[in-house]
Amino acid sequence: MNEATAARPSSEGEAFEPRIVAFVCNWCTYTGADLAGTSRIQMAPNVRIVRLPCTGRIDPLFVVKAFERGADGVIVSGCHPGDCHYTAGNYHARRRFAVFRETLSFLGIDLDRLTFSWVSASEGRKWSEIVNETTARVRELGPFTSYRDLVDEG
Amino acid sequence: MKIGYFPGCSLHATAREYAESLGVITGPLDVEINEIDDWACCGATSAHATNHLLGVALPARTLALAAEQGHEQILAPCAACYSRLAAARRAVDNDPATGAAVEKAIGRSVGTARPISLVRLLAELAPKVREKAKRPLEDIKVACYYGCLLVRPPELNDLDDVEAPTMMETVVKATGAKPVSWNRRLDCCGGGFSLSRTSSVVRLSRTILEDARGAGADVLVVACPMCHSNLDFRQKAIARRSEGGMDIPVIYLSQLVGLALGQDHVALGLGRHFVSTASFISRIPGPREGESAAATEVG
Amino acid sequence: MSIPESAAPATLAGEVRRKTGLNPATCYQCGKCSAGCPMAVETSLRPHDVLRMLQFDDREQLLSSESIWLCLTCETCTARCPNSCDPARIIDCLRETALNEGAAQPPRNIRAFHNAFLKQIQRSGRLFEMGLIMSYKMRSGALFADVMAAPGMLGRGKLALAPSRIQGLEEIRRIFDACTRHESDSTSTTTAQQNPGTEGAENA
Amino acid sequence: MARIGVFVCHCGENIGRTVDCEAVANACGELPGVVHAVDYKYMCSDPGQNLIKEAIAEKNLTGVVVAACSPHMHEKTFRKATEGAGLNPYLCEMTNIREQCSWIHEDRDAATAKAIDLTRFISEKIKRNSPLAPISISLERRALVIGGGISGLQAALDMADGGREVVLVEKQPSIGGHMSRLSETFPTLDCSQCILTPRMVEVHQHPRIKLLTYSEIESVDGYIGNFSVKIRKKARGVDETRCNGCGECQSVCPMKKIPSEFDAGLGNRTAIYVPFPQAVPNIPVIDRENCLRIKGMQKKKAKAACGRCAEACGRDAIDFEQEDTFVTEKVGAIVVATGYQLYSIGKEQTRKGITGYGEYGYGTVPDVIDGMQFERIASASGPSGGEIVRPSDGKVPKRVVFLQCIGSREPSKGIEYCSKLCCMYVAKHTMLYRHKVHDGEAIVFYMDIRAGGKGYDEFVRRAIEEDGAKYIRGRVSSIQREGEKVRLTGFDTLSGEQMEIDADMVVLATAMQAQPGIESLAQKLSVSYDGHGFINEAHPKLRPVDTNTAGVFVAGACQAPRDIPDSVAMASATASKVLGMFSKERLEREPTVAGVDKVTCSGCFHCERACPYGAVERYEVLNRSGEVEKVIAEVNEGVCQGCGSCQVACPSKSIELEGFTDAQIFAAINAL
Amino acid sequence: MRELQELSSKLLSEGDVSVVIGYEEGPRGVRPAFIRTPEETNRLVFDHRAVQNLAVYLSPRRAHLRKRGRPAVVIKGCDARAVAGLLRESQISRDDVVLIGVRCGGVYRDPESNGPLSEENVADRCTGCDLREPGHVDHLVGELPSEPPATDRRKSRIAGIEAMSPEERFDFWSSELERCIRCHACREVCPMCVCERCVCEKTDPSWVESSPHLRGALAWQITHALHLAGRCSDCGECERACPAGIPLSLIKGKVNQVVEDRFDYRAGDDPDVPSPLGDFRLEDDQEFIK
């Protein structure tokens, strides 16, 4: 966790603001997020978007690394089945994340910290709902330091 | 088929014939209607027109009673009562805040009972009506009148379409009669202004009756006591204003079905209408089993 | 006609939106509701005029208008509105607000009918036509209307002679209180609330 | 050591209003490896881009991070500027602090903190970017146009005149699209046949245009420059080489009463028919649902029914056994020009979530027709030979009422957009009507007249002032049959009157919708479409005729409701884009493709199964004595589209997608 | 196991193979044996103690064995699943190895136990074994024994963990994985781990932190579990090999259960049936996606 710009004032008593990373596909969800921008749809500022060519390129290791680096929640989003720019990326991702999600849950990660969604290029409003809803849910769950601080107990 | 029954205030008084005819036809159509005990008025227009929560709480209590008495469906023959029960059901289902306020007001949980209109029930039983019809009403031309609250507002409508419903016509065809096509089927008859602004009622009901007459209808069939009183009870006043007078009998859909099923027209309460139904009854050929039927003026 | 910047809660439109969830601004004044309104010929404010005045916060003129009381609540406007503005529900809410603020000026007969109707339900839980007609005549002064019809009604057995009271009368009274109290705590304005359902409504 | 330059843009005040750009620049200035951090009002302007070029030169930067708008907007611009200064363009990346930060947050501190985080992400990522050179791939300099309406024809002609071969595929038996069904066209009132037919003939005779009518796209493979498109030529039942279009078969066909789609159900046609006299190609097609012979064959009847057309055909061109055939075309670019479909006033709708007009009788009230039907009535080649008559009894209507916005601007029916050109063609209809029925009365119910084109409003004013069209501002609540007349209950919101009008005929100006089935075509082309089925352009202002899929362009009403002048302009735009693309021998392609680390690959080929394009090939590693030591994976750069699915499938992460390598993403996450 | 010994010496003497990999008596139960001459074949044994999965010696990472020429290997039914996995991923070609399938009636959980198989000492994977007679092999020895005793020990332990709340599960696995010293024995003993250089040895970027603290251990176990989804032959060697006694087969067991529930697939002994994690169906469930 980059201490220099720790934007999370949770320790100084102010309200806890979750840090959420969103891995999104460039053709649908990223463009949908841009549309939310051009339509000035306001949403929670807690989400940091990482752009990838396709949900097929979103590696479960990214999600694990994001949690290790102190993310309190992760969003993975891409094109609706059938709309994938590369025809099949989201279908592969769907199977990979189905197994990954249940494995994480078995090992004790609360699945409410993880949101999977399909957001198309014309669903700016849906993207803002996904962001706000995940932020609210994760804020309720509180910080996920237990994962990042595993190193101290080790 | 067992079903809850919510008569509504008018079916005990000004619309007795609606209740009588209903009671007589449910047997042959093997539908058992059990009146919900200790039901109260649904508030009709006056409640929701002046206090939204009151307009939802009163019918919600009836829904609660029905659920407690084990009825999943409630037959509401009066269009206004059906509309209020459906509005309460929808408000409780879709708006948690109103639902909570209602349950606090009536002190019961609303449960899951749903209202069904008489037109929909009879449309679902139409095959049985056709099969059990004893007395053919072949050459009787019928104008089906839905009025407003039976089809509107769209989200409460339980018929097949908001703007082009055909369920009443289906029932009429099942009785052997011939529905005429006319325009004023869905227009409002003046409803609750019957006492307080009779001039509007006369104006609106007049256009409806004139259109039905223009379409060559022998009889006007309705499914709402308010519409019936405006079209039947006020018809004399309308006749004075309409050139060529006005003499169209206005009966309930359940009475028409009763006739087809061969029920005695007195038992159906056909004598209770202000506009005499004698003329149109006499044109119905005797029942196939030769049951004698003397039309009488006053029941 | 002052033009408010946005439908802030202080405006009537804001109040309607808070109570009904409907946004009067969605109406683009196409007139389709007024085209189909059966009472359009008899009223000065047709449904789209009501929406227009709401958009421009013409509070006094709207709440004291007679037109909102001449609505048959037949829902034709709501069924055909291209933007689903639900004018019927909005006019319902305006009547209720007008009553709560004491600004309502319904025609005498209509006020009489509503009061008589709701008094009836409070007293016996079900409508007793005879009682309703008597109570309506006293309130409206239309003593001789439909007198000729009484024998016809009696002859046809259409007039119940005694009211049929329900057991749950106490529940009905509790409902009326709850609904009038609900109105008072959710009405933002301070004027004394009058509701025809309660005893004090005679002189509303 | 990385020497990175961070350039924060105010974008006028789009970003500056909610993000403290200076603070972002200062904060990023302290990041490890960042040697230059500056903010400027308009980074994409020339002075802005010069800032980048000068910084690269002075501080010999190894990486450029531009924190501004979305990369979809100006990534190319800033990469060109970086290249201009001698730095590899792929060492320049953008941070989206406008659409995904300043525009969607109001809290200045939170927005600024977020902007800093996002910029830190990319500056950590840029340290691991490697310089890439675009890949050059072969280019099939032929184009495919899907749809033979005015847009498709114009695009095909422009490209063919530009010296390129064009394949034009049209679903209907003849090209011409909806325009061929119109009578006169606004604003000049010149007859559509006169301006369209020459174009159709020109396409038919053009040496470089291959015309495939009565055909549909079966599947599309490949990528920009190398599409392989399988086209299904539906069985016409007529041999195109033999038929000379004499029309004998039509005259003898017994099935005379089939409602003609071309005449919108008002006229009739035979089972073997040519849609309209000026059809191109002028070759009939057999309607398989209604042809007695073919229906008999389908039911395996022993005795062959009818077959009169085959007997009457002098050139033996009728062939009932004809099957669908397939053709595969290799093309470098595709233009989608599939046009539109009118909203149906009936109860059944072709698109999900759309409802019909119950209050106007669901289209069952006689003499209530839609705009296209009026066009057919008014058209000289129409069922009534151009004379304006009522469909019910053929009488000349003395009063015609036109209704605007039927379906359009009507969220309760499922369509909230305005269809843009109904105001114009309704004004045109009133003119056509008044010119042909001088004592007729034309009434129009409208809400707002939208006639914004060149000479458009003047056209509508002429309809009102000279041709006496009565415009009533308000809508109609219900339409019903009243004896011989059609009764409308409407309202004039200007005079505040409710009105009942008895008309002889009513014309509904229905909304323009996307074609049914457009979703499956879009998915075959992997092109995105919006909630109404209209194809999404790459960018509404900057790339209006491109789509997100490289090499696929869009023209005409399939992208949004659009009239003929705009469609033709848009079609020519797509042609210029394609000709620009074809101006080079080979095509340069984004170098973001995958590559295999030959040392660590264990040859399990999970990547091969994950690759949708089959870009993974086998590479034999030989030992010194030439024997195959092991077989590992290798990526064909030309075929790889850069989706990255293989990298996630690879257990040992031996395959890396350039531009989105693990190291880059890891660095970005690390900067969380 | 006379039949096995005779077959092995025949294969060796005819020079068909240069080594027979089987089991021989060892200090703690049986251990893998590499028989190169017909005379030594009498050392070969096979009984309930033969728990090791000899397919691991076919993995290309053991290049030194390959240099010794063509091996024959004694394969139980469950081991055949691993061999099929290696064939499926073209790590060995079919004619490079001779497979001696042995009919197996179940093995102990702990090779040092003895006496008849019982619910306590039988290995988890033997319950309801459908491969008592391995298919796709060159030779088949031993008679078909009866059904091994059934035990739902692992299934109930997995269910027990699932019943916990996320925090409890996290604490349970933290306490277990705390003991992990990242010796990677579980990777070395796994027949399906065929990578030249494992991802957790990759340093730029180092996805899986290599130091033996809990965060790195958790990342490693997640990675290993995901890599085995749809490929794990459930041989349980990883758990048996773990010096810290971490119940790794519970994680792999859970993943196999998920793959079976969602894609109706179990890594079988037929090399032509591919793992579901590599292709897709249009109508895969997506109930967890908004």
Side-chain angles (χ1 to χ4, degrees), chain B residues 125-140:
Chain B
L125 298 173
K128 193 164 289 181
V129 170
R130 189 187 305 277
E131 159 209 319
K132 295 257 177 92
K134 293 199 182 66
R135 179 184 288 167
L137 310 175
E138 257 64 33
D139 60 359
I140 303 294

Side-chain angles (χ1 to χ4, degrees), chain B:
Chain B
M1 171 179 179
K2 213 162 82 57
I3 187 168
Y5 169 52
F6 176 79
C9 310
S10 32
L11 265 69
H12 278 196
T14 42
R16 278 186 56 187
E17 63 278 13
Y18 197 4
E20 286 160 352
S21 54
L22 187 61
V24 167
I25 64 170
T26 45
L29 298 178
D30 45 57
V31 172
E32 189 203 318
I33 56 173
N34 324 64
E35 183 163 341
I36 300 162
D37 63 14
D38 205 35
W39 57 267
C41 173
C42 71
T45 312
S46 299
H48 78 81
T50 58
N51 182 323
H52 177 69
L53 184 61
L54 183 65
V56 173
L58 285 172
R61 176 174 171 276
T62 307
L63 292 177
L65 290 177
E68 281 155 22
Q69 291 158 29
H71 304 301
E72 255 318 298
Q73 269 193 328
I74 312 163
L75 172 63
C78 157
C81 301
Y82 163 77
S83 175
R84 291 321 306 160
L85 287 170
R89 180 75 271 159
R90 184 177 160 75
V92 169
D93 290 349
N94 291 15
D95 173 2
T98 312
V102 161
E103 296 203 326
K104 193 156 79 61
I106 65 176
R108 298 167 185 269
S109 80
V110 177
T112 57
R114 315 196 65 78
I116 178 170
S117 65
L118 178 67
V119 174
R120 174 162 193 106
L121 181 68
L122 288 179
E124 281 168 4
L125 298 173
K128 193 164 289 181
V129 170
R130 189 187 305 277
E131 159 209 319
K132 295 257 177 92
K134 293 199 182 66
R135 179 184 288 167
L137 310 175
E138 257 64 33
D139 60 359
I140 303 294
K141 294 203 287 305
V142 171
C144 296
Y145 178 71
Y146 291 86
C148 50
L149 291 181
L150 209 51
V151 284
R152 295 195 289 273
E155 63 277 7
L156 302 185
N157 167 0
D158 77 344
L159 301 188
D160 53 336
D161 192 276
V162 177
E163 297 290 351
T166 59
M167 283 195 170
M168 241 190 192
E169 280 78 4
T170 314
V171 177
V172 166
K173 283 193 207 119
T175 65
K178 206 170 79 48
V180 299
S181 94
W182 62 303
N183 284 332
R184 296 281 169 237
R185 294 186 319 149
L186 309 179
D187 286 15
C188 179
C189 67
F193 282 175
S194 185
L195 288 176
S196 48
R197 198 175 172 92
T198 317
S199 59
S200 306
V201 167
V202 168
R203 173 175 64 83
L204 292 170
S205 296
R206 178 175 155 202
T207 44
I208 294 166
L209 287 169
E210 280 172 355
D211 191 29
R213 182 177 63 190
D218 302 327
V219 64
L220 190 65
V221 165
V222 299
C224 163
M226 261 205 281
C227 309
H228 182 272
S229 79
N230 286 341
L231 294 167
D232 173 55
F233 169 61
R234 297 265 176 232
Q235 195 169 123
K236 277 212 175 39
I238 291 169
R240 279 200 295 280
R241 283 185 182 65
S242 167
E243 74 282 9
M246 185 66 70
D247 179 22
I248 300 181
V250 181
I251 65 168
Y252 289 102
L253 186 62
S254 48
Q255 289 178 315
L256 187 79
V257 168
L259 277 176
L261 298 178
Q263 298 297 337
D264 158 53
H265 71 280
V266 173
L268 290 168
L270 281 165
R272 292 193 192 284
H273 301 298
F274 280 84
V275 177
S276 153
T277 54
S279 62
F280 121 83
I281 291 177
S282 60
R283 285 181 46 224
I284 302 173
R288 294 192 198 95
E289 289 91 5
E291 183 237 340
S292 74
T296 55
E297 183 52 44
V298 173

Side-chain angles (χ1 to χ4, degrees), chain D residues 128 597 599-606 609-610 618 630 650-654 656 662-663 665-666 669, chain E residues 60 88-91 194-199 202 204-207 223 227 231 274-279:
Chain D
R128 281 148 183 90
D597 174 348
V599 171
T600 57
C601 168
S602 55
C604 69
F605 289 103
H606 283 176
R609 290 183 67 201
R618 305 214 160 204
K630 61 177 180 176
C650 175
S652 61
K653 304 296 168 216
S654 309
E656 288 271 17
D662 271 351
I665 307 298
F666 179 83
I669 299 176
Chain E
R88 209 174 283 135
E89 285 159 18
S90 55
Q91 296 305 304
V194 294
C195 296
E196 289 289 321
R197 180 223 53 206
C198 174
V199 68
K202 188 173 183 190
D204 178 24
S206 64
W207 282 117
T223 308
H227 285 178
R231 300 172 63 231
S275 145
L277 271 304
D279 52 29

